[in-house]
């Protein structure tokens, strides 16, 4: 089983202890400080906008793959 979390709050830690093997491996990239990364922009979309953007992204990936760009 694999779990991903951008942060490691107590609730996520408890989930890992409950569902993972007795000795889960924790991989940290960057700092363990719970601070927002100001280089990351987060956009919250409603369901319809999310679906439309995801669909457009998938179509872009499809055409890039067909052209051999990825």
């Amino acid at each position: 089983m694999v779990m991903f979390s951008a942060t490691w709050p107590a609730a996520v830690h408890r989930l890992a202890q409950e569902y993972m093997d007795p000795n889960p491996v924790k991989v940290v990239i960057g700092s363990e400080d719970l601070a927002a990364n100001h280089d990351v922009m987060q956009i919250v979309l409603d369901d319809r906008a999310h679906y439309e953007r995801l669909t457009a992204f998938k179509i872009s990936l499809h055409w890039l793959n067909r052209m051999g760009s990825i």
Side-chain angles (χ1 to χ4, degrees):
M1 179 184 294
V2 177
M3 292 177 67
F4 296 93
S5 178
T7 60
W8 193 250
V12 173
H13 184 77
R14 284 191 301 273
L15 279 174
Q17 287 180 324
E18 183 176 344
Y19 291 104
M20 305 301 280
D21 290 336
N23 298 308
V25 175
K26 177 181 170 186
V27 177
V28 176
I29 300 173
S31 171
E32 288 195 62
D33 295 334
L34 290 179
N37 183 334
H38 298 286
D39 294 330
V40 175
M41 180 174 61
Q42 181 174 346
I43 301 171
V44 179
L45 303 171
D46 63 27
D47 288 340
R48 178 147 181 94
H50 179 262
Y51 176 79
E52 290 171 355
R53 288 185 71 164
L54 182 58
T55 301
F57 178 69
K58 289 174 159 180
I59 291 168
S60 298
L61 286 179
H62 171 76
W63 285 107
L64 287 171
N65 187 41
R66 286 191 59 144
M67 294 186 311
S69 298
I70 57 171

